[in-house]
Amino acid sequence: MADVSLILASRRGHVVAPAGCGKTELIARSVASPVEKPTLILTHTTAGVAALRQRLKRDGVPASHYRLNTIAGWALWLISMFPTRAGFRQDPLAAPNYSEVQAAIGRLCQSGHITKELQASYGRLLVDEYQDCSVTQHSIVSGIANAIPTVIFGDPMQAIFGFGGDPLSDWHSEVVAAFPEIGRLSTPWRWSNAGADDLGQWLLGARDALSQGLSIDLRSCPNRIFWHPIGADINATITEQVRVQFDISRNSPNESILIVGDPIRAGSRHDYASRAAGVSVVEPVDFRDIVNAAENMDGLSGDALLQACIAFLIQVMTNVYGDRLQQRIQSIQAGRNRTPPTPQELAAIALFNHGGYPQAIAFLKSMASDRERRVYRHSAFNIMIEALTMAAGGSTELRSAIALLRERNRQAGRIVPSKAVGSTLLLKGLEAQHVVILDADQPGSAMSRQHLYVALTRGARSVHIFSRRPTLPA
């Protein structure tokens, strides 16, 4: 068991924190008491920062009690303060090279050359989601721990991120060696508070089994875990997945649903959202395909810009029918149309006839207002509208505007709708009343034990899981 007094008394250590067992509550309470110096709180993602900030604000913790950032963001700030000592200077106008920045800050923290500055600035360090820290990030944190009391929180069963050439720090040989265990959380508050203590206890048991290399039987918690077999007919499976999600929405209209889709093929998640009314896509923070779409629009006007806008809409909206729309434009322009033009067609014609970014914005908004169409990637649509608006003002190019907005969103974290589809990587750290896992044992990309555990623990009241077998991993 771990409590606030244990955290505050520890010079160095780690708390094992299974999903939904009160970790955020413990962190918030640990910084609530008056302190001489603020606590530095670091985590792995901007979504985690947003969640912690919201919780601290909700609990009334004064902002003077803490400094909250991602590890990467804090490293970027620190290198701007001590570029000479770090031996690396980041160009403030260039996109941050996070790997080089973090490597330089890791060396600086390990060197002890900023020990006095750390001790003067912070009373202690708390690090959340430590299982997702890379080797370089672990070097930063363990270096800080040489200067000020440090407690980290994490769960090796939720280690699903990867960093290419900078792998995750090994929990047992590196993390535990640097930060001995001082306690663990064992009460499944997320599920107890939702009136689903049976599901919470089942998930704790499933975590233990998975961590030992055993399998779990999805039929062993019949009131909360619902197994749906995947057959040979792909269309029938998709129809059943949408039906299950609709049934949850109908039976629990005011409750949230997270849908866990293919971790690799974003297009399959987009396809699901396009079929299931009311579901939106959780976007990756880099908005890669939307940035590409903006770059394809950059500097265009008239018909070329219209074509680029249609190509963008096909990625984020249902029933675009771009070929039909362009045929109608030609017909209307030539006076051959038998039916009057729709508002969407008039907006398209205004753009076609040498229109620029203002006309592109009007066209996109008009298409979104059409009841026959539906935007299912709202974040992507909105960031494009905002970028076009900035570019239309003449203060920046479109490609620069989209890059600026992407970085702003990266720092602010995501706003997740009540019914959303994403991958385990995108949904990790989020929770809803219900979760639907679309394919847990997909041939060639079956969920690992860690991904499976993360997916299962997103729903506080029910878990619907589609797989070929009821026992996972197979």
Side-chain angles (χ1 to χ4, degrees), residues 273-355:
S274 71
R275 294 170 182 245
V279 173
S280 292
V281 173
V282 177
E283 303 285 349
V285 292
D286 63 5
F287 283 96
R288 187 176 300 112
D289 62 335
I290 305 307
V291 169
N292 290 339
E295 290 177 345
N296 289 336
M297 293 182 194
D298 195 37
L300 300 182
S301 64
D303 184 36
L305 182 55
L306 174 62
Q307 300 290 337
C309 285
I310 290 174
F312 164 69
L313 286 176
I314 290 171
Q315 298 181 73
V316 303
M317 177 185 290
T318 63
N319 303 328
V320 176
Y321 302 128
D323 292 342
R324 186 186 306 176
L325 177 61
Q326 292 176 82
Q327 290 172 2
R328 279 283 292 171
I329 291 173
Q330 295 175 6
S331 177
I332 294 166
Q333 292 275 71
R336 300 192 304 268
N337 56 302
R338 297 183 179 181
T339 58
T342 66
Q344 291 70 41
E345 290 165 351
L346 290 174
I349 290 171
L351 176 55
F352 178 88
N353 289 324
H354 309 292

Side-chain angles (χ1 to χ4, degrees), residues 15 54 74 112 118 270 272 289 322 328 446 451:
V15 174
Q54 182 180 22
W74 184 81
L118 291 172
H270 301 166
Y272 180 89
D289 62 335
R328 279 283 292 171
H451 280 269

